[in-house]
Amino acid sequence: MKLGQTLIDAATLDAGVARIAAEIDRDQAGRPALLVGILKGSIFFLCDLAKKLETTPVSLDFLQVSSYGSGTKSSGNVRLQRDLSTDVAGRDVIIVEDIVDTGRTLTKIIELLGTRHPKSVKICALLKKKIAGNEGIPVDYLGFTIDDHFVVGYGLDYAEMYRNLPFIGILEPEPEAGNEGREAANAKRETAESRR
Ligand code: IMP
Ligand code: MG
């Protein structure tokens, strides 16, 4: 796999994050919020978002789940790897996620936090893929809708690489690679198949 075209440049990301911060400030109207970042993909987004909040008193906590393993194919199996250290009871919780693909990860997390009696739970996602089946996932604050590409950068990884890119880029199969190129093409096909 290799880095292809830039999908969302740094300035566009920054403007999107600023817009979301303003929406959260407006909705919270001065009430405190607990931002729950989903590790590791959301960290760059969460940090930039938190810095742009002007009127919302903010606390931070983190959850880690694994769903993807090291490929580009969602396993569909979401495991909790690290729990919160904060009691969410009675709090306005905003879950901060990097990307909504099938929505399985968020569905699990909403289900988990729902059992802990938060005052409210809202979803904030930087990206949402335009794919069949995830329309019903409730995203209260959304940065950008994207077509069905595998993307990296600004926190998003491929096998733990590329998270530190300051923009979102498309990961593409190597043009004339041997096995690796075929594996990438297979991964894309398998991702599509796994959603059915
Ligand atoms: P979902 O459970 O299928 O919605 O997948 C969500 C998780 O899969 C995200 O939190 C990401 O960690 C990962 N993911 C989904 N699509 C991509 C992508 O295009 N690039 C990198 N990670 C992705
Ligand atoms: Mg990930």
Side-chain angles (χ1 to χ4, degrees):
M1 303 291 274
K2 72 168 187 12
L3 189 60
Q5 189 198 326
T6 297
L7 190 64
I8 309 175
D9 65 25
T12 307
L13 282 172
D14 193 65
V17 177
R19 173 177 46 80
I20 296 175
E23 289 170 13
I24 293 176
D25 273 341
R26 180 202 61 205
D27 292 352
Q28 288 304 113
R31 290 184 304 273
L34 172 64
L35 299 187
V36 171
I38 310 306
L39 295 172
K40 304 171 197 171
S42 73
I43 54 168
F44 292 76
F45 174 39
L46 179 134
C47 292
D48 286 344
L49 178 66
K51 284 186 285 182
K52 289 184 195 309
L53 291 171
E54 290 177 358
T55 58
T56 307
V58 132
S59 322
L60 307 179
D61 205 345
F62 299 91
L63 266 184
Q64 186 157 18
V65 294
S66 65
S67 60
Y68 253 67
S70 60
T72 57
K73 183 190 155 193
S74 175
S75 66
N77 212 339
V78 182
R79 267 191 317 132
L80 183 64
Q81 295 198 310
R82 180 197 186 279
D83 204 345
L84 299 172
S85 59
T86 311
D87 182 3
V88 302
R91 312 282 300 269
D92 284 332
V93 175
I94 301 176
I95 298 172
V96 181
E97 172 67 308
D98 52 1
I99 185 165
V100 182
D101 184 10
T102 62
R104 287 183 189 125
T105 306
L106 272 179
T107 303
K108 279 278 174 187
I109 291 169
I110 295 166
E111 201 179 285
L112 174 76
L113 294 189
T115 64
R116 298 178 181 177
H117 312 293
K119 183 171 158 216
S120 66
V121 178
K122 284 187 172 171
I123 306 296
C124 174
L126 179 68
L127 306 174
K128 185 171 182 181
K129 284 190 195 174
K130 213 185 291 167
I131 61 163
N134 74 1
E135 305 88 351
I137 306 295
V139 181
D140 300 279
Y141 304 107
L142 179 63
F144 306 90
T145 302
I146 65 169
D147 287 331
D148 190 8
H149 304 291
F150 194 84
V151 292
V152 294
Y154 200 61
L156 290 137
D157 74 306
Y158 172 66
E160 294 300 327
M161 293 293 294
Y162 304 109
R163 290 196 199 275
N164 62 324
L165 297 176
F167 55 86
I168 301 281
I170 298 177
L171 203 68
E172 289 171 348
E174 302 274 3
E176 79 265 52
N179 270 342
E180 228 185 288
R182 273 197 296 279
E183 274 166 25
N186 284 343
K188 198 168 161 85
R189 185 177 42 74
E190 282 166 15
T191 307
E193 280 169 3
S194 74
R195 294 195 187 110
R196 293 195 199 117

